[in-house]
Amino acid sequence: MKQKWTLKETKLLFDKPFFDLVFEAQKKHRENFNPNKIQISTLLSIKTGSCPEDCKYCPQSARYKTGLKKQPLLELKQILKSAKHAKASGSTRFCMGAAWKNPNEKDMPYLEKIIKEIKKMGMETCMTLGTINNAQAKRLSNAGLDFYNHNLDTSENFYKHVITTRTYKERLTTLKVVRDAGMKVCSGGIIGLGEKIQDRMELLMQLSNLSVQPESVPINMLVKISGTPMENNLDVDPFDFIRVIAATRIMLPQSYIRLSAGRKEMNDQTQAMCFMVGANSIFYGCKLLTSNNPEEESDVKLFNKLNLHPEYKKERLVKEKDFNLTTLKLNQEKYYNAGI
Ligand code: SAM
Ligand code: DTB
Ligand code: SF4
């Protein structure tokens, strides 16, 4: 793998004619992945709102009047019900988010219990709980947490215009803590915060130049939430967004790239181009943390049109002809339960 991406090289990549960039990204994607498979994750907010942080994009910050209904830490029963639904719909990873600056020590045993119960169901687990220390990371890892999500969000330079209550360095430290504890790293960013193209380049350089590249890279398009300071941000041009996905694929060739928040606001063609240039993971299910995501049915229809198949571990056991895409949802449960 390439050693380090410099700004000059990254600029050359972003400045390529659109179709040259698309071609290069597709080549990289096909060298590393089956282009007709997609990883499916489901998201659940296990603690909603009243967050002390000031992230200017976020509906959950206590500083902005977004009309969000707050919710304390959910009960285990409710979490497991959602996880069961996610598994039955064909999702293989259950991602849980909490609107915290960091987890409280007193919540650690409960978080461990949640992880263990979901692992028992045979799903991969991911959590995003804010900043964590070494001891907390070790505990989560020992409980069986597969991935920890902590986004860099944007470039180090632009970051101060987005968040003032947590430093960029703290974020990088958390990523190291997660890695050192033996968990897989999920880290990406948001496009549409008002950043310049160079900030997008610098974000990808940060992610790409980590000592070990993140296994999972969520690229979010800003969901504009009324009441946040970013509610009136300019729309992102879909081709600029596709360019970011393509550059991500080239700079992080072996990472799963998740087309994350913002899919509800994209048409099928934009999503298809994102998959074409290397996005190979999505959040599936009608809700992200607090905002809307496409309905499951509409994703199934889109997969159907694109002949995209959900990725299961022992997928070769499924004969392609048995995979009736029009009844994907029903079949997924069957295949998933069969350990496929
Ligand atoms: N509180 C924890 C933290 O910030 O680390 C975890 C939850 S936080 C909501 C997870 C991520 O969601 C953020 O880092 C950000 O990248 C993304 N996010 C939040 N609001 C968003 C929005 N309106 N549009 C797009 N992405 C958003
Ligand atoms: C990520 O990068 N995006 C997800 C997940 N990781 C935690 C969150 C998106 C949140 C969008 C706004 C909301 O639904 O509250
Ligand atoms: Fe809190 Fe996370 Fe939202 Fe920032 S992104 S306000 S830390 S929930």
Side-chain angles (χ1 to χ4, degrees), residues 29 37 49 76 91 94 97 112 116 133 142 154 158 170 198 205 222 225 228 242 247 249 255 274 278 290 317 325 338:
H29 191 45
K37 300 278 181 211
L76 185 62
S91 197
F94 196 61
E112 290 168 317
K116 285 181 187 155
N133 62 34
N142 288 343
T154 189
F158 190 66
E170 279 176 78
Q198 183 163 331
M205 284 166 60
L222 176 72
I225 308 284
T228 63
I242 294 160
R249 171 49 67 224
S255 308
C274 289
T290 67
L317 294 179
L325 284 165

mmCIF file of all heavy atoms in Angstrom, residues 29 37 49 76 91 94 97 112 116 133 142 154 158 170 198 205 222 225 228 242 247 249 255 274 278 290 317 325 338:
data_model
loop_
_atom_site.group_PDB
_atom_site.id
_atom_site.type_symbol
_atom_site.label_atom_id
_atom_site.label_comp_id
_atom_site.label_asym_id
_atom_site.label_seq_id
_atom_site.Cartn_x
_atom_site.Cartn_y
_atom_site.Cartn_z
ATOM 1 N N HIS A 29 -11.417 -0.222 -6.631
ATOM 2 C CA HIS A 29 -12.504 -0.919 -5.943
ATOM 3 C C HIS A 29 -12.519 -2.397 -6.342
ATOM 4 O O HIS A 29 -12.613 -3.292 -5.499
ATOM 5 C CB HIS A 29 -13.830 -0.232 -6.286
ATOM 6 C CG HIS A 29 -14.979 -0.696 -5.444
ATOM 7 N ND1 HIS A 29 -14.881 -0.854 -4.086
ATOM 8 C CD2 HIS A 29 -16.260 -1.028 -5.759
ATOM 9 C CE1 HIS A 29 -16.033 -1.283 -3.602
ATOM 10 N NE2 HIS A 29 -16.892 -1.397 -4.598
ATOM 11 N N LYS A 37 -21.277 -6.370 -4.174
ATOM 12 C CA LYS A 37 -21.650 -6.688 -2.786
ATOM 13 C C LYS A 37 -21.641 -5.419 -1.945
ATOM 14 O O LYS A 37 -20.827 -4.515 -2.174
ATOM 15 C CB LYS A 37 -20.642 -7.655 -2.164
ATOM 16 C CG LYS A 37 -20.529 -8.974 -2.892
ATOM 17 C CD LYS A 37 -21.610 -9.926 -2.485
ATOM 18 C CE LYS A 37 -21.438 -11.241 -3.221
ATOM 19 N NZ LYS A 37 -22.715 -11.909 -3.463
ATOM 20 N N GLY A 49 -30.021 13.171 22.634
ATOM 21 C CA GLY A 49 -30.155 14.595 22.995
ATOM 22 C C GLY A 49 -29.423 14.997 24.263
ATOM 23 O O GLY A 49 -28.704 14.205 24.872
ATOM 24 N N LEU A 76 -32.384 -2.382 27.941
ATOM 25 C CA LEU A 76 -31.809 -3.489 27.168
ATOM 26 C C LEU A 76 -32.850 -4.143 26.254
ATOM 27 O O LEU A 76 -32.580 -4.454 25.089
ATOM 28 C CB LEU A 76 -31.199 -4.516 28.132
ATOM 29 C CG LEU A 76 -30.453 -5.677 27.482
ATOM 30 C CD1 LEU A 76 -29.253 -5.180 26.683
ATOM 31 C CD2 LEU A 76 -29.990 -6.684 28.531
ATOM 32 N N SER A 91 -29.417 -6.948 8.114
ATOM 33 C CA SER A 91 -28.261 -6.167 8.536
ATOM 34 C C SER A 91 -27.279 -7.091 9.262
ATOM 35 O O SER A 91 -27.693 -8.001 9.975
ATOM 36 C CB SER A 91 -28.769 -5.081 9.481
ATOM 37 O OG SER A 91 -27.810 -4.103 9.617
ATOM 38 N N PHE A 94 -24.683 -3.998 14.028
ATOM 39 C CA PHE A 94 -25.583 -3.138 14.786
ATOM 40 C C PHE A 94 -24.749 -2.034 15.437
ATOM 41 O O PHE A 94 -23.855 -2.307 16.240
ATOM 42 C CB PHE A 94 -26.327 -3.970 15.836
ATOM 43 C CG PHE A 94 -27.527 -3.269 16.385
ATOM 44 C CD1 PHE A 94 -28.585 -2.907 15.551
ATOM 45 C CD2 PHE A 94 -27.619 -2.963 17.736
ATOM 46 C CE1 PHE A 94 -29.712 -2.253 16.045
ATOM 47 C CE2 PHE A 94 -28.737 -2.314 18.248
ATOM 48 C CZ PHE A 94 -29.780 -1.962 17.396
ATOM 49 N N GLY A 97 -25.333 4.585 18.981
ATOM 50 C CA GLY A 97 -24.750 5.903 19.233
ATOM 51 C C GLY A 97 -25.330 6.523 20.493
ATOM 52 O O GLY A 97 -26.516 6.353 20.794
ATOM 53 N N GLU A 112 -21.219 -2.959 28.521
ATOM 54 C CA GLU A 112 -20.625 -4.297 28.313
ATOM 55 C C GLU A 112 -21.722 -5.349 28.124
ATOM 56 O O GLU A 112 -21.634 -6.220 27.266
ATOM 57 C CB GLU A 112 -19.729 -4.669 29.507
ATOM 58 C CG GLU A 112 -18.449 -3.837 29.551
ATOM 59 C CD GLU A 112 -17.691 -3.988 30.872
ATOM 60 O OE1 GLU A 112 -18.330 -3.986 31.944
ATOM 61 O OE2 GLU A 112 -16.470 -4.089 30.841
ATOM 62 N N LYS A 116 -22.401 -7.777 24.842
ATOM 63 C CA LYS A 116 -22.412 -9.250 24.957
ATOM 64 C C LYS A 116 -23.706 -9.829 24.420
ATOM 65 O O LYS A 116 -23.698 -10.849 23.725
ATOM 66 C CB LYS A 116 -22.208 -9.671 26.423
ATOM 67 C CG LYS A 116 -20.761 -9.504 26.864
ATOM 68 C CD LYS A 116 -20.558 -9.929 28.300
ATOM 69 C CE LYS A 116 -19.133 -9.572 28.719
ATOM 70 N NZ LYS A 116 -18.999 -9.391 30.154
ATOM 71 N N ASN A 133 -11.277 6.528 27.128
ATOM 72 C CA ASN A 133 -9.893 6.358 27.586
ATOM 73 C C ASN A 133 -9.451 4.909 27.389
ATOM 74 O O ASN A 133 -10.261 4.055 27.007
ATOM 75 C CB ASN A 133 -9.729 6.844 29.039
ATOM 76 C CG ASN A 133 -10.589 6.047 30.011
ATOM 77 O OD1 ASN A 133 -10.801 4.842 29.822
ATOM 78 N ND2 ASN A 133 -11.096 6.711 31.048
ATOM 79 N N ASN A 142 -12.973 -6.080 25.290
ATOM 80 C CA ASN A 142 -13.091 -7.390 25.954
ATOM 81 C C ASN A 142 -14.534 -7.893 25.968
ATOM 82 O O ASN A 142 -14.780 -9.099 25.954
ATOM 83 C CB ASN A 142 -12.563 -7.323 27.388
ATOM 84 C CG ASN A 142 -11.044 -7.203 27.414
ATOM 85 O OD1 ASN A 142 -10.373 -7.489 26.399
ATOM 86 N ND2 ASN A 142 -10.491 -6.761 28.535
ATOM 87 N N THR A 154 -13.842 16.688 9.721
ATOM 88 C CA THR A 154 -13.358 17.589 8.673
ATOM 89 C C THR A 154 -11.848 17.749 8.810
ATOM 90 O O THR A 154 -11.211 16.967 9.522
ATOM 91 C CB THR A 154 -14.130 18.936 8.761
ATOM 92 O OG1 THR A 154 -13.810 19.732 7.624
ATOM 93 C CG2 THR A 154 -13.834 19.718 10.031
ATOM 94 N N PHE A 158 -10.253 23.441 9.452
ATOM 95 C CA PHE A 158 -11.645 23.906 9.436
ATOM 96 C C PHE A 158 -12.381 23.522 10.729
ATOM 97 O O PHE A 158 -13.414 24.109 11.066
ATOM 98 C CB PHE A 158 -12.375 23.330 8.207
ATOM 99 C CG PHE A 158 -13.738 23.945 7.995
ATOM 100 C CD1 PHE A 158 -13.863 25.292 7.662
ATOM 101 C CD2 PHE A 158 -14.892 23.193 8.153
ATOM 102 C CE1 PHE A 158 -15.119 25.882 7.484
ATOM 103 C CE2 PHE A 158 -16.149 23.765 7.979
ATOM 104 C CZ PHE A 158 -16.264 25.108 7.640
ATOM 105 N N GLU A 170 -7.692 15.504 20.455
ATOM 106 C CA GLU A 170 -8.407 14.520 21.291
ATOM 107 C C GLU A 170 -9.029 13.432 20.414
ATOM 108 O O GLU A 170 -9.049 12.259 20.781
ATOM 109 C CB GLU A 170 -9.542 15.207 22.066
ATOM 110 C CG GLU A 170 -9.126 15.930 23.325
ATOM 111 C CD GLU A 170 -10.314 16.655 23.952
ATOM 112 O OE1 GLU A 170 -11.135 15.984 24.601
ATOM 113 O OE2 GLU A 170 -10.425 17.882 23.779
ATOM 114 N N GLN A 198 -10.142 21.966 -0.308
ATOM 115 C CA GLN A 198 -8.879 21.555 0.331
ATOM 116 C C GLN A 198 -9.109 20.914 1.705
ATOM 117 O O GLN A 198 -8.370 20.021 2.113
ATOM 118 C CB GLN A 198 -7.903 22.745 0.447
ATOM 119 C CG GLN A 198 -6.576 22.288 1.048
ATOM 120 C CD GLN A 198 -5.432 23.237 0.834
ATOM 121 O OE1 GLN A 198 -5.387 23.963 -0.152
ATOM 122 N NE2 GLN A 198 -4.499 23.229 1.780
ATOM 123 N N MET A 205 -6.575 12.931 3.795
ATOM 124 C CA MET A 205 -5.154 12.691 4.098
ATOM 125 C C MET A 205 -4.980 12.233 5.549
ATOM 126 O O MET A 205 -4.207 11.320 5.843
ATOM 127 C CB MET A 205 -4.336 13.957 3.849
ATOM 128 C CG MET A 205 -4.093 14.218 2.369
ATOM 129 S SD MET A 205 -3.502 15.886 2.091
ATOM 130 C CE MET A 205 -2.002 15.866 3.048
ATOM 131 N N LEU A 222 -23.997 16.390 5.005
ATOM 132 C CA LEU A 222 -24.691 17.091 6.086
ATOM 133 C C LEU A 222 -26.207 16.963 5.939
ATOM 134 O O LEU A 222 -26.766 17.260 4.885
ATOM 135 C CB LEU A 222 -24.313 18.579 6.089
ATOM 136 C CG LEU A 222 -25.076 19.421 7.126
ATOM 137 C CD1 LEU A 222 -24.593 19.123 8.538
ATOM 138 C CD2 LEU A 222 -24.949 20.909 6.824
ATOM 139 N N ILE A 225 -30.283 20.422 9.838
ATOM 140 C CA ILE A 225 -31.291 20.320 10.894
ATOM 141 C C ILE A 225 -31.703 21.723 11.345
ATOM 142 O O ILE A 225 -30.846 22.532 11.741
ATOM 143 C CB ILE A 225 -30.715 19.548 12.113
ATOM 144 C CG1 ILE A 225 -30.090 18.198 11.684
ATOM 145 C CG2 ILE A 225 -31.759 19.395 13.213
ATOM 146 C CD1 ILE A 225 -31.042 17.093 11.355
ATOM 147 N N THR A 228 -30.052 24.260 14.160
ATOM 148 C CA THR A 228 -28.588 24.206 14.299
ATOM 149 C C THR A 228 -27.984 25.376 13.509
ATOM 150 O O THR A 228 -28.614 25.872 12.570
ATOM 151 C CB THR A 228 -28.002 22.884 13.740
ATOM 152 O OG1 THR A 228 -28.272 22.819 12.334
ATOM 153 C CG2 THR A 228 -28.599 21.668 14.423
ATOM 154 N N ILE A 242 -19.602 12.826 -5.149
ATOM 155 C CA ILE A 242 -19.123 11.585 -5.804
ATOM 156 C C ILE A 242 -17.592 11.620 -5.914
ATOM 157 O O ILE A 242 -16.910 10.612 -5.706
ATOM 158 C CB ILE A 242 -19.798 11.420 -7.189
ATOM 159 C CG1 ILE A 242 -21.300 11.181 -7.004
ATOM 160 C CG2 ILE A 242 -19.155 10.287 -7.998
ATOM 161 C CD1 ILE A 242 -22.147 11.466 -8.234
ATOM 162 N N ALA A 247 -12.260 9.648 -4.395
ATOM 163 C CA ALA A 247 -10.928 9.906 -3.824
ATOM 164 C C ALA A 247 -10.730 9.056 -2.562
ATOM 165 O O ALA A 247 -9.630 8.549 -2.311
ATOM 166 C CB ALA A 247 -10.778 11.387 -3.497
ATOM 167 N N ARG A 249 -11.970 6.098 -2.017
ATOM 168 C CA ARG A 249 -11.664 4.731 -2.456
ATOM 169 C C ARG A 249 -10.199 4.594 -2.867
ATOM 170 O O ARG A 249 -9.533 3.609 -2.553
ATOM 171 C CB ARG A 249 -12.611 4.347 -3.616
ATOM 172 C CG ARG A 249 -12.298 3.053 -4.330
ATOM 173 C CD ARG A 249 -12.059 1.860 -3.397
ATOM 174 N NE ARG A 249 -13.224 1.417 -2.650
ATOM 175 C CZ ARG A 249 -13.193 1.095 -1.349
ATOM 176 N NH1 ARG A 249 -12.056 1.171 -0.648
ATOM 177 N NH2 ARG A 249 -14.272 0.683 -0.725
ATOM 178 N N SER A 255 -10.486 -0.071 2.718
ATOM 179 C CA SER A 255 -11.499 0.239 3.738
ATOM 180 C C SER A 255 -12.893 0.100 3.156
ATOM 181 O O SER A 255 -13.106 0.376 1.974
ATOM 182 C CB SER A 255 -11.334 1.692 4.218
ATOM 183 O OG SER A 255 -10.019 1.941 4.610
ATOM 184 N N CYS A 274 -22.153 6.751 -6.405
ATOM 185 C CA CYS A 274 -21.306 6.585 -5.211
ATOM 186 C C CYS A 274 -20.889 5.116 -5.071
ATOM 187 O O CYS A 274 -19.725 4.819 -4.781
ATOM 188 C CB CYS A 274 -22.053 7.041 -3.957
ATOM 189 S SG CYS A 274 -22.257 8.817 -3.876
ATOM 190 N N GLY A 278 -16.972 3.248 -5.460
ATOM 191 C CA GLY A 278 -16.313 2.595 -4.330
ATOM 192 C C GLY A 278 -17.035 2.558 -3.006
ATOM 193 O O GLY A 278 -16.551 1.903 -2.079
ATOM 194 N N THR A 290 -31.268 10.284 14.729
ATOM 195 C CA THR A 290 -32.509 11.023 15.015
ATOM 196 C C THR A 290 -33.203 11.445 13.725
ATOM 197 O O THR A 290 -34.347 11.853 13.749
ATOM 198 C CB THR A 290 -32.215 12.296 15.844
ATOM 199 O OG1 THR A 290 -31.459 13.215 15.022
ATOM 200 C CG2 THR A 290 -31.415 11.989 17.090
ATOM 201 N N LEU A 317 -22.071 -19.804 -0.266
ATOM 202 C CA LEU A 317 -23.029 -20.890 -0.086
ATOM 203 C C LEU A 317 -24.370 -20.566 -0.731
ATOM 204 O O LEU A 317 -25.165 -21.446 -1.005
ATOM 205 C CB LEU A 317 -23.248 -21.168 1.401
ATOM 206 C CG LEU A 317 -22.027 -21.712 2.134
ATOM 207 C CD1 LEU A 317 -22.344 -21.923 3.597
ATOM 208 C CD2 LEU A 317 -21.581 -23.026 1.520
ATOM 209 N N LEU A 325 -34.173 -11.253 -5.604
ATOM 210 C CA LEU A 325 -34.019 -9.883 -5.118
ATOM 211 C C LEU A 325 -35.340 -9.184 -4.842
ATOM 212 O O LEU A 325 -35.414 -8.282 -4.037
ATOM 213 C CB LEU A 325 -33.184 -9.067 -6.099
ATOM 214 C CG LEU A 325 -31.700 -9.385 -6.008
ATOM 215 C CD1 LEU A 325 -30.980 -8.842 -7.214
ATOM 216 C CD2 LEU A 325 -31.095 -8.817 -4.743
ATOM 217 N N ALA A 338 -29.410 -18.977 8.560
ATOM 218 C CA ALA A 338 -28.640 -20.151 8.155
ATOM 219 C C ALA A 338 -27.136 -19.869 8.263
ATOM 220 O O ALA A 338 -26.313 -20.681 7.863
ATOM 221 C CB ALA A 338 -29.015 -20.538 6.731
#
